[in-house]
Amino acid sequence: MPTMAEAHANLCSIYKDSCSALVEAFIKSYKQVLLLWPEFPEVTCNILHTLPCVCSWENHDKMFLEVERIIKRQINMSVLPSVQPFHAIAYPIGPLLALKISYVSNDFDNHPLPHLMGSVFGMHNREHVEVFYYALSPNNNTKWSQHIQFEAEHFVDVSAILQQGPWSVLVDLT
């Protein structure tokens, strides 16, 4: 449907994830979405992240300001921000918009996650952010899990809660 912003946004995701040959169609479709629904937060955040991948820097600074406005609005509304966590790391957003960081994993152990992310876990500036780690599996006390727990500001083993049943994930862990 040519006037349905959500349909165009889904088409954008297909183009973006398919292959680089569809980049022009992807950009055209994203622009169509923003014409139909200029306040579509996920699309604004996705296009900001994707356009630099094709060396398109047009309105880049203006788009950062728009994404920062979106994040502020979503935080004030207690809505999960539309910006992807790993994308936000690369954005020049102020520390007031990134006060808490949470890592949730089943593998804070001898697994590729801590092998690849191990140095990142301890690099957060604790003056600007509060860092939480939620372990979905029990700790087996390897050097990897010990290292993460040593660097963790807040490390919470929620594996026992999860073993109680699927309803337990609704518990507020903050």
Side-chain angles (χ1 to χ4, degrees), residues 5-75:
E6 292 91 344
H8 280 281
N10 290 334
L11 184 61
C12 293
S13 294
I14 292 169
Y15 287 150
K16 179 177 69 86
D17 295 339
S18 294
C19 68
S20 59
L22 299 174
V23 169
E24 287 183 31
F26 156 75
I27 293 170
K28 180 180 176 184
S29 198
Y30 260 148
K31 289 181 179 180
Q32 180 65 28
V33 172
L34 293 176
L35 285 174
L36 296 169
W37 186 0
E39 295 292 320
F40 200 138
E42 288 79 7
V43 169
T44 303
C45 294
N46 282 339
I47 198 167
L48 172 65
H49 175 71
T50 305
L51 286 177
C53 296
V54 294
C55 297
S56 177
W57 305 103
E58 183 182 337
N59 298 321
H60 203 250
D61 292 338
K62 182 181 173 186
M63 289 179 71
F64 270 125
L65 292 174
E66 176 63 16
V67 167
E68 187 173 55
R69 187 183 66 75
I70 288 169
I71 294 169
K72 286 178 183 176
R73 186 178 71 236
Q74 289 177 326
I75 289 172

Side-chain angles (χ1 to χ4, degrees), residues 43-148:
V43 169
T44 303
C45 294
N46 282 339
I47 198 167
L48 172 65
H49 175 71
T50 305
L51 286 177
C53 296
V54 294
C55 297
S56 177
W57 305 103
E58 183 182 337
N59 298 321
H60 203 250
D61 292 338
K62 182 181 173 186
M63 289 179 71
F64 270 125
L65 292 174
E66 176 63 16
V67 167
E68 187 173 55
R69 187 183 66 75
I70 288 169
I71 294 169
K72 286 178 183 176
R73 186 178 71 236
Q74 289 177 326
I75 289 172
N76 288 335
M77 295 169 42
S78 296
V79 173
L80 187 65
S82 296
V83 111
Q84 297 292 322
F86 287 113
H87 298 177
I89 292 171
Y91 294 171
I93 58 176
L96 293 177
L97 297 181
L99 294 175
K100 293 184 181 182
I101 297 174
S102 295
Y103 294 99
V104 179
S105 179
N106 194 42
D107 295 302
F108 286 129
D109 208 344
N110 189 10
H111 183 270
L113 173 84
H115 292 232
L116 297 171
M117 294 285 295
S119 61
V120 173
F121 293 138
M123 296 179 73
H124 299 292
N125 183 336
R126 300 276 171 79
E127 293 178 22
H128 298 291
V129 297
E130 186 175 10
V131 184
F132 295 82
Y133 298 82
Y134 295 102
L136 304 178
S137 60
N139 179 2
N140 67 2
N141 215 22
T142 65
K143 69 177 184 177
W144 300 101
S145 59
Q146 288 174 356
H147 178 74
I148 291 170

